[in-house]
Amino acid sequence: MKIGIVGYKGRMGKEIKDLFEEKNHEFVWGYDKDGEYFQETPQIIIDFSLPEVFEKTEDYVKKFNVPLIIGTTGLQDEQIEALKALAKDVPVVQSYNFSIGIQLFLKMVDFLKDKIDGWDIEIVETHHRFKKDKPSGTAKMIKESLDKDVPISSLRLGNVAGDHVLYMANLGEVLSISHRALSRRAFAEGVLKSAEFVTNKKNGYFTFTDVI
Ligand code: NAD
């Protein structure tokens, strides 16, 4: 497939471009801080940039009338609503985490959440020093799955691709679930799966949970 990437010069943008090209897909369009790269109209747009770029992405998806996979974190509620409106015309996959491991993590949280009433519960997330948003979108997803108002601690250290730990403790024991992304490749693989998932869809709003 012929892909377009918003944020194609960024860490995730480069990882996604490399993976898709390894799998014989073609990078034909991009948008970044210094403007547009145009070789051909893309068949799909992938956005890993910043929330302030969102309106540009929205305009390009409408202009090209193509599916959108969006992994940008820190989106405002209105931007999520705008994505749902866009999904009436094209397929949209939105997730704050495109790794398989975090999907399994969320399933474990769903299993545990009613069994830990009265326990102390805290989420700790660690990311590289360049990450702009805090707390991470994934930590927010874990908190949402717990359905409890729990504290989130954010560490910004070196080049960590993404660590999340959920701690649960009563007076006698500590239980924890942890996930570590060893590289950005894990997310890029999820984006590729999502791109394959939308090829036969006409429209609709999906999360990565729907994809796997
Ligand atoms: P990055 O800073 O390396 O890349 C962001 C890119 O966006 C850069 O190339 C930058 O030049 C571009 N950009 C910034 N402002 C712009 C503007 N005004 N117009 C056009 N382009 C602009 O960041 P990253 O580490 O690649 O992460 C990108 C996003 O993806 C972040 O929101 C991050 O949290 C998110 N992320 C999501 C997942 C996931 O699985 N959903 C995984 C990793 C990262």
Side-chain angles (χ1 to χ4, degrees), residues 6-14 31-35 47-53 56 70-74 95-99 127-128 130-133 137-138 161 184 187-188 191:
V6 178
Y8 73 107
K9 293 187 172 175
R11 283 172 286 265
M12 276 306 300
K14 284 186 195 146
Y31 183 76
D32 210 289
K33 250 184 187 155
D34 52 0
D47 178 328
F48 276 74
S49 60
L50 287 177
E52 48 263 47
V53 190
K56 273 279 175 194
I70 181 161
T72 297
T73 56
S95 179
Y96 286 149
N97 197 301
F98 278 90
S99 75
H127 282 87
H128 53 90
F130 309 104
K131 186 169 175 62
K132 301 254 164 45
D133 55 322
T138 305
R184 294 181 176 85
F187 309 124
V191 173

Side-chain angles (χ1 to χ4, degrees), residues 5 9-10 27 30 42 61 82 85-86 116 128 163 169 193 197 204 211:
I5 303 176
K9 293 187 172 175
F27 170 74
V61 169
L86 203 57
I116 48 174
H128 53 90
D163 284 1
K193 270 197 169 53
F197 172 83
V211 173

